[in-house]
């Protein structure tokens, strides 16, 4: 028997596996929310310079006092208009332009009046978001690139987490690293919500990104290593759809909590509960054997068999039986492989080059669309729901395509259609917002299909040992 066959004999798809997978995929709902959280926590509201407070409404060219000026009047005489006819976001007049209140001179050459930066700060529209990091730390005009920098720092944490927690999981086990990742996500997410400065916010978001990688990697490992081979595709799809549902839940959560601190708090607190119940998880028996702990593996497998109603089969299991069933895997585990293994032979080198290119293109385009929701001209909440919902049919089509027309064709069609949809938007006029948004949603769906295919295809293309 192979280990997979042994697992099947102990109730491969029994009560334990159903409960185990369910508890593992619930946190994935909120990891998806953290991944796209900055769409809402760093949203850019309409804004303009702070208007000077005028001591009185006395017209400078007459001795009479005008009627009290309205807010619109003060805005009209204090802030120049941009090309779209809206108040400029980054400049204001050095002195109030009173003549603009006179309709006969409203079209005069007011653009020649002296302007200055927003020395006194900005006024923000709070009708949609009551507070975002942009509003709190004035990340607009000269500081607008810091918003994107914060997201890049977060994605840097995702990269660092993949490198760190991947190797730590091989050394200390999937369960312990997953539990630590839940705790790190909870604590760093909570600290993010109470960040006193933008620098602190970036540091804690980096740690959140690291934790996210630890959760996703070890969640997938524990799911796939505890289910039989024949249902791994289904189990992987369940994890994928949990992330999709998380994308749909996020806008509802953001709508209910328009203050970024409360949104961050709400998305982080459940991970304390996930950390507590994660101690119930069973460590991967396969990892225990390959790490030289067969006795512990036998104990875990017996408990699993008992939960699945296969206690008699579990009692027959011994350390010797388990070792004999995993001789081939243990031999492979003893061989060392490094990053050099990815380019050592011509065949593997070609696979590495091609698959890395597709991973880069898919990720680059996916986040380029998913993190740019405000530029579509529709409600950011509805756009996020559409972007999340399109993944449901997209991933289903990818799964069907991989089964009937093959991995390579499905992968190629996904990225080609995504590229065409995104390129087509270059030629669509900006006033056709519905068409532009539809093309973007189609492109995002194709990229979701590409991701779904890539996870499976990558694992199948490379030799098992690397």
């Amino acid at each position: 028997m192979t280990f997979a066959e042994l697992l099947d004999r102990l109730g491969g798809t029994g009560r334990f596996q159903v409960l185990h997978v369910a508890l593992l995929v619930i946190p994935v709902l909120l990891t998806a929310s953290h991944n796209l959280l900055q769409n809402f926590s760093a949203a850019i509201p309409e804004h303009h310079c702070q208007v000077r407070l005028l001591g009185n409404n006395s017209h400078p060219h007459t001795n009479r006092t005008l009627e009290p000026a309205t807010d619109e009047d003060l805005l009209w005489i204090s802030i120049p208009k941009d090309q779209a006819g809206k108040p400029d976001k980054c400049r204001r007049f050095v002195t109030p332009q009173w003549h603009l209140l006179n309709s006969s001179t409203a079209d005069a050459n007011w653009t020649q009046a002296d302007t200055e930066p927003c020395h006194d700060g900005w006024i923000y529209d709070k009708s949609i978001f009551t507070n975002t990091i942009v509003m709190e730390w004035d990340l607009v005009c000269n500081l607008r690139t810091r918003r994107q920098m914060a997201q890049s720092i977060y994605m840097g944490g995702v990269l660092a987490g993949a490198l760190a927690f991947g190797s730590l999981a091989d050394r200390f086990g999937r369960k312990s690293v997953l539990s630590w990742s839940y705790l790190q996500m909870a604590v760093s997410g909570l600290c993010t919500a109470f960040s006193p400065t933008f620098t602190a916010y970036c540091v804690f978001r980096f740690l959140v990104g690291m934790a996210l990688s630890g959760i996703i990697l070890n969640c997938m490992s524990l799911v796939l290593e505890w289910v039989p081979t024949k249902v791994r595709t289904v189990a992987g799809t369940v994890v994928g759809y949990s992330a999709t549902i998380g994308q749909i839940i996020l806008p509802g959560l953001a709508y209910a909590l328009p203050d970024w601190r409360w949104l961050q708090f709400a998305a982080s607190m459940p991970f304390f509960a996930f950390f507590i119940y994660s101690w119930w998880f069973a460590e991967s028996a396969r990892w225990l054997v390959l790490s030289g702990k067969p006795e512990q593996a036998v104990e875990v497998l017996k408990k699993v068999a008992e939960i699945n109603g296969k206690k008699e089969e579990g009692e027959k299991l011994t350390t010797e039986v388990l070792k004999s069933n995993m001789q081939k895997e243990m031999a492979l585990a003893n061989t060392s492989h490094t990053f050099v293994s990815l380019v050592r032979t011509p065949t593997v080198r070609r696979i590495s080059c091609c698959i890395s290119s597709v991973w880069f293109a898919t990720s680059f385009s996916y986040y380029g669309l998913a993190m740019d929701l405000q530029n579509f001209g529709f409600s950011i909440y509805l756009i996020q729901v559409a972007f999340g919902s399109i993944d449901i049919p997209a991933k289903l089509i990818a799964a069907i395509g991989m089964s009937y027309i093959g991995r390579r064709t499905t992968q190629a069609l996904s990225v080609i259609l995504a590229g065409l949809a995104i390129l087509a938007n270059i030629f669509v006029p900006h006033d056709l917002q519905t068409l532009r948004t539809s093309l973007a949603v189609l492109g995002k769906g194709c990229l979701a299909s590409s991701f779904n295919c890539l996870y499976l295809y990558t694992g199948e293309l490379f030799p098992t040992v690397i």
Side-chain angles (χ1 to χ4, degrees):
M1 282 191 298
T2 63
F3 179 76
E5 290 170 336
L6 175 63
L7 187 62
D8 206 25
R9 179 178 288 185
L10 299 176
T13 53
R15 190 183 300 117
F16 168 81
Q17 276 76 12
V18 172
L19 183 59
H20 190 67
V21 171
L23 292 176
L24 281 167
V25 300
I26 290 172
V28 177
L29 296 172
L30 288 177
T31 56
S33 296
H34 275 282
N35 227 9
L36 301 172
L37 196 67
Q38 198 167 294
N39 269 329
F40 302 93
S41 63
I44 307 173
E46 289 293 327
H47 56 279
H48 59 77
C49 292
Q50 184 82 253
V51 176
R52 281 192 180 86
L53 295 176
L54 304 178
N56 56 53
N57 296 320
S58 199
H59 195 293
H61 301 301
T62 68
N63 292 325
R64 66 186 181 85
T65 301
L66 303 174
E67 290 296 321
T70 64
D71 290 341
E72 289 185 6
D73 288 339
L74 290 176
L75 192 63
W76 182 251
I77 66 175
S78 302
I79 309 295
K81 300 293 185 290
D82 60 19
Q83 293 180 345
K86 295 181 178 181
D88 192 280
K89 292 177 171 57
C90 301
R91 308 288 296 179
R92 69 179 181 183
F93 291 124
V94 175
T95 58
Q97 303 298 299
W98 291 96
H99 65 277
L100 295 176
L101 292 178
N102 186 341
S103 59
S104 63
T105 61
D107 295 327
N109 293 327
W110 58 268
T111 54
Q112 296 178 0
D114 292 335
T115 61
E116 63 183 1
C118 305
H119 294 305
D120 301 322
W122 287 260
I123 297 292
Y124 297 98
D125 179 5
K126 296 187 177 182
S127 61
I128 300 176
F129 301 100
T130 58
N131 190 27
T132 69
I133 65 169
V134 171
M135 299 161 70
E136 186 152 334
W137 293 306
D138 289 330
L139 305 182
V140 292
C141 300
N142 293 336
L143 299 181
R144 65 185 181 276
T145 55
R146 293 194 180 181
R147 174 178 177 268
Q148 287 91 334
M149 183 182 73
Q151 182 65 13
S152 292
I153 289 172
Y154 167 78
M155 296 305 292
V158 175
L159 173 62
L163 295 172
F165 289 129
S167 58
L168 288 174
D170 286 336
R171 180 176 299 180
F172 300 108
R174 285 80 164 98
K175 175 186 171 181
S176 57
V177 174
L178 180 60
S179 295
W180 170 262
S181 298
Y182 287 149
L183 182 61
Q184 180 172 320
M185 177 68 86
V187 173
S188 56
L190 205 60
C191 289
T192 303
F194 292 99
S195 298
T197 63
F198 177 69
T199 301
Y201 172 85
C202 290
V203 170
F204 291 128
R205 280 286 284 171
F206 180 87
L207 294 175
V208 167
M210 285 189 69
L212 180 131
S213 280
I215 291 169
I216 296 298
L217 288 173
N218 291 288
C219 168
M220 286 297 293
S221 294
L222 282 175
V223 167
L224 298 180
E225 291 178 0
W226 271 117
V227 298
T229 306
K230 62 184 179 182
V231 295
R232 281 185 177 179
T233 302
V234 175
T237 302
V238 169
V239 176
Y241 272 121
S242 296
T244 296
I245 295 170
Q247 292 184 46
I248 299 173
I249 290 174
L250 174 60
L253 189 64
Y255 184 81
L257 301 169
D259 187 309
W260 77 270
R261 291 187 182 274
W262 282 110
L263 177 60
Q264 182 74 46
F265 181 87
S268 303
M269 281 301 292
F271 284 92
F272 283 110
F274 302 149
F275 168 70
I276 292 170
Y277 79 56
S278 69
W279 293 101
W280 176 85
F281 293 151
E283 180 58 271
S284 167
R286 182 177 175 276
W287 176 83
L288 287 170
V289 175
L290 298 179
S291 300
K293 302 174 182 178
E295 294 83 6
Q296 293 182 33
V298 170
E299 290 180 13
V300 170
L301 287 168
K302 285 183 176 180
K303 290 180 181 178
V304 169
E306 186 176 354
I307 295 172
N308 286 339
K310 302 278 188 177
K311 187 174 182 179
E312 291 184 4
E313 292 290 342
E315 293 298 332
K316 298 176 184 176
L317 187 63
T318 63
T319 304
E320 290 71 24
V321 172
L322 188 57
K323 284 183 176 180
S324 65
N325 290 332
M326 295 188 64
Q327 285 181 355
K328 184 177 179 181
E329 289 181 275
M330 292 171 68
L332 290 172
N334 291 329
T335 60
S336 61
H337 292 274
T338 64
F339 284 108
V340 178
S341 303
L342 297 174
V343 293
R344 184 166 287 152
T345 65
T347 301
V348 175
R349 187 159 54 241
R350 179 168 58 85
I351 291 172
S352 299
C353 180
C354 292
I355 209 72
S356 297
S357 299
V358 180
W359 270 105
F360 177 87
T362 302
S363 302
F364 189 87
S365 305
Y366 185 93
Y367 287 105
L369 287 176
M371 297 305 300
D372 196 31
L373 302 187
Q374 282 193 291
N375 283 338
F376 289 107
F378 287 96
S379 166
I380 188 173
Y381 303 107
L382 294 178
I383 291 292
Q384 180 59 60
V385 170
F387 268 33
S389 300
I390 192 65
D391 284 12
I392 296 174
K395 290 179 178 179
L396 179 61
I397 292 171
I400 295 172
M402 285 188 289
S403 299
Y404 290 97
I405 63 175
R407 274 67 157 145
R408 183 172 66 170
T409 305
T410 304
Q411 184 67 76
L413 285 174
S414 297
V415 289
I416 290 171
L417 288 174
L420 290 175
I422 296 169
L423 282 172
N425 252 343
I426 296 174
F427 305 102
V428 177
H430 282 270
D431 54 341
L432 299 178
Q433 292 180 341
T434 303
L435 179 57
R436 289 178 60 81
T437 304
S438 299
L439 286 170
V441 171
L442 173 62
K444 200 262 189 180
C446 291
L447 292 167
S449 295
S450 178
F451 265 135
N452 211 41
C453 188
L454 268 172
Y455 276 105
L456 182 62
Y457 199 20
T458 302
E460 292 177 337
L461 281 174
F462 285 108
T464 304
V465 290
I466 61 172

